[in-house]
Amino acid sequence: MCTVELEMQNTILLIEDDESLAALVTHDLGARGHLVHAVASAEEGMRALDERDFDVVLTDLSLGGMMNGVELCAHLHGARPDVPVIVMTAHGTLATAVDAIRASAYDFVTKPFEMPQLALVVDRAVGLRMLRRELARLRETAAGASALHGIIGRSAPIEHVRELVSRVADTDATVLITGESGTGKELIAKALHDSSSRREHPFVAINCAAMPESLLESELFGHSRGAFTDAKAARAGLFVRADHGTVFLDEIGEMPLGMQAKLLRALQERTVRPVGCDQEVAFDARVVAATHRDLQVEIAEKRFREDLYYRINVMHIHSPPLRARGADTLLLAHRFVEQVAAQSKRNVRGMSAAVAQKLVAFPWPGNV
């Protein structure tokens, strides 16, 4: 015995008292993959909505009975604001159609209409309904969204990052995090530290692109008193200050070649030599590095040492761009809205479906 898995169909409630038109619309939309439930009055339509959920309501504007199409739109907006309503109207009642839009109808089509025209409006309304459902789900779960030490998201790429972090966090392996600027590489580094047995010890970070080579060497390895003009006292470097913790070398692809050689030796020997000092100082710190550059290209162009690359790339985690993370954009947006609303002391409950559509469609070249 075999089973066939049926795809979930979009459900349309059609309210139309013209039997021939109702049959035509039901057949055509059904052929396009929609499940259409047709009734002849507003009262029947409201009973149907009480009994089950629909993705879209498609209603004639001129209905007999106790309620017309405009009144129905107003009622549905109050009772079921998440369900888009499309009104069908004759040319002579366009002014009334405007009233329906003011009563929060999603759109209207004028009779006589071509079925492809109606189907296009219905498809757009279905898309809006799906987006509204997703927004409602996000509003309910944003506060407790699956987050690993600040990494927000539920997309497949970000779940893969979480899996890798969980697998390699409690090891001493050096990790290379790659990805475009703004994708949260430092958050991943912090998650590695916070998920490890080193979490009670320091996490120190340095941007390798932010300072010249001489200053970078002093920051990483430390210096002795009098090593240079402003060295009025000895100072331990980040590797020693992060003892038993984690050192995060951000933008390691920008590190000068001369400094790369010194870093390689430090990683190999697990010791550093402070500037102006003759003695080596041992350290026990896990090293995590990050870059937005393609280090394979940098190696080919002789701008990055191949031996250092293999030393830092024991484990590799790629931080995905925001454009590849789908609805994570909305989770992040909700989190930022909450933060800004709290800071500005404003009661902002969320975002509209139109805003959400723009957020999801935008390519986000600067990422988060």
Side-chain angles (χ1 to χ4, degrees):
M1 180 178 178
C2 67
T3 59
V4 177
E5 185 176 346
L6 297 177
E7 293 184 2
M8 184 177 293
Q9 291 178 295
N10 302 312
T11 54
I12 313 297
L13 175 61
L14 172 63
I15 308 175
E16 174 58 67
D17 53 9
D18 183 329
E19 292 185 8
S20 60
L21 180 58
L24 173 65
V25 172
T26 300
H27 177 270
D28 188 275
L29 292 180
R32 297 174 188 269
H34 302 292
L35 185 62
V36 182
H37 178 72
V39 298
S41 69
E43 291 76 18
E44 289 180 273
M46 288 190 295
R47 283 197 296 270
L49 280 164
D50 288 337
E51 294 170 359
R52 59 177 297 184
D53 187 39
F54 290 92
D55 294 305
V56 175
V57 173
L58 179 61
T59 180
D60 188 12
L61 193 59
S62 301
L63 294 169
M66 298 176 60
M67 184 179 295
N68 63 30
V70 174
E71 293 168 333
L72 177 62
C73 287
H75 175 81
L76 289 178
H77 180 64
R80 299 293 300 276
D82 58 316
V83 180
V85 180
I86 302 169
V87 296
M88 300 177 291
T89 179
H91 285 294
T93 56
L94 278 176
T96 312
V98 172
D99 291 338
I101 296 297
R102 289 173 178 164
S104 299
Y106 168 70
D107 206 346
F108 68 90
V109 291
T110 56
K111 300 178 182 178
F113 48 76
E114 298 292 330
M115 282 308 305
Q117 174 196 3
L118 178 64
L120 178 61
V121 176
V122 169
D123 287 343
R124 288 174 177 168
V126 167
L128 176 65
R129 164 68 161 159
M130 293 174 64
L131 190 55
R132 284 176 174 173
R133 278 179 171 173
E134 180 67 9
L135 284 171
R137 185 185 68 80
L138 291 173
R139 276 193 290 269
E140 292 174 359
T141 61
S146 178
L148 177 64
H149 305 287
I151 303 175
I152 297 172
R154 292 181 172 176
S155 64
I158 213 67
E159 289 293 353
H160 181 61
V161 168
R162 281 200 189 88
E163 180 188 358
L164 289 175
V165 168
S166 299
R167 284 168 52 190
V168 307
D170 216 13
T171 71
D172 287 331
T174 304
V175 180
L176 176 63
I177 305 170
T178 59
E180 298 174 11
S181 296
T183 56
K185 295 188 289 296
E186 185 166 352
L187 279 178
I188 296 173
K190 192 70 165 59
L192 284 166
H193 174 77
D194 291 344
S195 301
S196 74
S197 58
R198 296 176 179 269
R199 69 179 69 88
E200 301 300 327
H201 300 281
F203 174 89
V204 295
I206 186 168
N207 188 331
C208 299
M211 55 187 66
E213 182 174 353
S214 58
L215 184 56
L216 181 59
E217 181 179 5
S218 173
E219 282 294 310
L220 289 177
F221 302 156
H223 60 257
S224 63
R225 180 180 179 183
F228 47 86
T229 303
D230 293 328
K232 298 179 180 179
R235 185 169 183 264
L238 296 186
F239 279 97
V240 173
R241 295 195 337 242
D243 201 33
H244 302 299
T246 302
V247 173
F248 176 53
L249 305 175
D250 197 12
E251 296 301 348
I252 195 170
E254 311 296 322
M255 183 177 285
L257 279 168
M259 190 62 213
Q260 290 178 32
K262 295 174 183 177
L263 174 62
L264 175 63
R265 186 179 185 283
L267 296 180
Q268 289 173 335
E269 303 298 327
R270 307 299 293 177
T271 61
V272 295
R273 178 176 293 177
V275 177
C277 186
D278 295 330
Q279 295 181 337
E280 301 280 339
V281 180
F283 69 89
D284 173 23
R286 200 241 189 104
V287 176
V288 179
T291 181
H292 74 282
R293 294 189 178 276
D294 184 336
L295 292 186
Q296 296 281 14
V297 173
E298 297 300 298
I299 291 169
E301 297 292 332
K302 308 297 184 184
R303 292 190 293 265
F304 199 84
R305 293 180 62 105
E306 187 173 21
D307 47 5
L308 178 59
Y309 172 75
Y310 288 116
R311 177 64 63 173
I312 63 174
N313 192 29
V314 177
M315 301 297 297
H316 176 225
I317 297 176
H318 180 69
S319 185
L322 189 54
R323 61 182 175 276
R325 293 175 53 184
D328 284 358
T329 302
L330 300 183
L331 278 172
L332 287 160
H334 271 287
R335 180 60 58 89
F336 294 147
V337 165
E338 288 175 354
Q339 291 175 351
V340 174
Q343 291 167 2
S344 60
K345 298 181 180 179
R346 296 192 179 197
N347 182 23
V348 181
R349 292 178 296 173
M351 67 190 74
S352 68
V355 168
Q357 284 177 315
K358 291 182 182 295
L359 290 176
V360 173
F362 193 69
W364 298 106
N367 293 296
V368 182

